[in-house]
Amino acid sequence: MLQPAQAPPSAADGTPAIIKSAPIAARHAGRFTRHTYHEKPIAPGCAVGSCDPVPDRRRLALVVTPALAILALTLVIIVGDRPILRQRSLDTGTTRAAVAIRDHVIPFQKWGTKLFTLPHLEDGYDKVYYLTQATFGDQRHELAAAVEEALRRYDEVDIFLLAHGNFFIDWISGIDPALRQKIRLVYNTGCGNASQANLWLAEGADAYVGHPALHSVSPAFYFYFLRRWVRGYPLGEAVAEANRAAARRLDWFGQASPLTDATAVLFGPAELWIGGGGGKP
Amino acid sequence: MNPLARAAAWLRAENLAMPLAALLVAIAEIVSLWAVWTASFGPVRRIPEWADLPLGHAVMWGLGLAGSLLSIAGAYRLVRRGRAWVAAVVVPLVCFPTMVVGLGSLYSSLVVAAIL
């Protein structure tokens, strides 16, 4: 058995060039001394504690590791979404505000919705009112007050109803009808709430986006939709792209069915965009 | 040699220390995010509202970056110097998933923060 302090044989004995120098040989000897659980000498190029020859696969590592990292990132982007670049300047001379409300769901969903929604809205609007319900029916007064204040202070107001099937329309019906005409876009994640389109348009909204399916997986649509909308996509294009992207993911994960269909329907002008007017006189 | 030092020496010798650290970081990230969303929207709010987003992003950035670096470096070392069969098992089962979690949280944070 090779003794710990014993240095490997010299190059003249036919050992590979890798341990030619004395310092390297000394290091090997030292490592062997520390790891005595394998009472075997470390052969040149071996992993510590093993006498099986392990070649230095530097080139393989340099190829495999970046390839794995690129593959991991690609997987993330494919399952998630590609970077969305701003389509055009949002500095159009009009002021706009967004009002969003999240219903009373589990903490993870409330937090996730806020984490995703708020930065996007703050990126695209001059003012954002973001509300989260703490109980069922909570924030009724706050929602009406936020919408009214936004309508009074800003040229255009978009409303995002991030909730299960709902009737928030009743909560804002007390606002002055003349003010309500400044409501531009209403997006509603509620299952089957596409049926409220005519009500919202009658209340003064220029456009309404809602989901017809009774158990719609609306978050799948919303994720792709909001990112495109705040980047300046025309409403019709944002809805169409988000519908395609959501349907593809639901299909991959076996969630696609008529009942859970995440498809949203647009009622109103397809050319509307975040920086543009709603087309009212 | 005590068992802990022996285990650490074995992990180092087999180039498994960094993959294990990457796995622990990924677990720590999930636990930390759970703590943040519970503290913000749990039955009792324990952090101020303004901290909801910065805390979440700090976890995703900090631990995401650490997990990514550890998993990438761990995979590199294993492929380069590890035993072939150990690398063949650990790289796809530990390094790659932790790479996905780490890079995923970094990318998600960028996307969520609307930078990209």
Side-chain angles (χ1 to χ4, degrees):
Chain A
M1 188 174 69
L2 188 65
Q3 293 304 308
Q6 182 180 342
S10 69
D13 298 332
T15 33
I18 192 167
I19 60 158
K20 268 181 187 173
S21 70
I24 292 175
R27 277 205 299 275
H28 276 280
R31 288 165 86 189
F32 171 68
T33 307
R34 284 200 307 272
H35 306 294
T36 51
Y37 55 93
H38 273 251
E39 292 188 351
K40 290 177 181 176
I42 303 158
C46 284
V48 178
S50 162
C51 67
D52 302 329
V54 178
D56 185 352
R57 297 174 292 240
R58 186 166 176 269
R59 280 186 187 172
L60 183 67
L62 282 174
V63 171
V64 168
T65 313
L68 276 177
I70 290 168
L71 184 66
L73 192 57
T74 307
L75 189 67
V76 168
I77 292 171
I78 288 173
V79 174
D81 195 11
R82 64 182 169 84
I84 305 291
L85 303 176
R86 191 176 297 288
Q87 297 292 296
R88 43 189 158 172
S89 169
L90 302 186
D91 191 12
T92 54
T94 57
T95 59
R96 52 187 171 272
V99 180
I101 182 165
R102 169 83 247 202
D103 61 348
H104 181 47
V105 285
I106 59 170
F108 171 68
Q109 292 176 349
K110 288 181 185 178
W111 174 79
T113 306
K114 186 176 181 182
L115 200 70
F116 170 70
T117 302
L118 196 52
H120 279 87
L121 293 183
E122 285 175 343
D123 189 43
Y125 293 87
D126 299 304
K127 173 74 177 174
V128 178
Y129 302 82
Y130 189 90
L131 306 169
T132 303
Q133 290 185 320
T135 55
F136 294 106
D138 183 30
Q139 304 284 350
R140 181 179 186 128
H141 171 72
E142 288 82 355
L143 179 67
V147 171
E148 184 160 355
E149 185 185 314
L151 290 170
R152 287 191 191 284
R153 296 179 56 185
Y154 296 90
D155 299 330
E156 288 149 349
V157 176
D158 294 343
I159 299 174
F160 295 84
L161 306 172
L162 313 174
H164 293 85
N166 62 79
F167 255 90
F168 288 122
I169 190 168
D170 289 346
W171 293 14
I172 65 153
S173 58
I175 297 172
D176 180 358
L179 270 181
R180 287 203 308 256
Q181 295 305 307
K182 286 164 74 177
I183 298 176
R184 187 177 55 173
L185 165 70
V186 176
Y187 169 62
N188 191 342
T189 61
C191 298
N193 281 172
S195 59
Q196 293 180 11
N198 289 335
L199 296 174
W200 277 104
L201 296 177
E203 285 284 314
D206 297 327
Y208 179 82
V209 176
H211 298 268
L214 292 180
H215 291 283
S216 169
V217 188
S218 307
F221 167 87
Y222 175 61
F223 175 72
Y224 300 104
F225 169 69
L226 185 64
R227 300 193 63 226
R228 284 154 181 78
W229 170 252
V230 298
R231 288 286 186 264
Y233 277 56
L235 184 56
E237 199 179 324
V239 170
E241 263 203 36
N243 275 335
R244 280 195 298 273
R248 199 178 308 131
R249 267 65 172 196
L250 290 185
D251 202 30
W252 291 347
F253 296 107
Q255 297 291 313
S257 84
L259 203 62
T260 59
D261 190 0
T263 302
V265 182
L266 163 63
F267 302 86
E271 67 277 10
L272 184 75
W273 72 290
I274 190 169
K280 285 198 191 87
Chain B
M1 190 185 278
N2 74 53
L4 203 61
R6 199 178 164 85
W10 180 80
L11 283 171
R12 200 168 56 237
E14 295 292 352
N15 297 297
L16 289 173
M18 278 199 279
L20 180 67
L23 187 63
L24 292 176
V25 166
I27 293 168
E29 183 178 350
I30 292 166
V31 172
S32 304
L33 289 179
W34 172 82
V36 172
W37 79 61
T38 305
S40 53
F41 287 107
V44 179
R45 176 173 273 282
R46 292 193 181 86
I47 56 173
E49 270 193 47
W50 62 261
D52 291 353
L53 300 191
L55 266 181
H57 285 297
V59 170
M60 290 169 88
W61 264 95
L63 295 183
L65 186 64
S68 303
L69 293 177
L70 283 169
S71 58
I72 289 170
Y76 178 82
R77 282 190 67 129
L78 257 181
V79 172
R80 182 172 173 179
R81 296 184 193 281
R83 299 187 210 220
W85 73 267
V86 174
V89 171
V90 174
V91 169
L93 293 183
V94 177
C95 294
F96 185 69
T98 50
M99 224 180 271
V100 171
V101 171
L103 290 172
S105 64
L106 270 181
Y107 182 80
S108 303
S109 189
L110 281 172
V111 168
V112 169
I115 294 166
L116 292 176

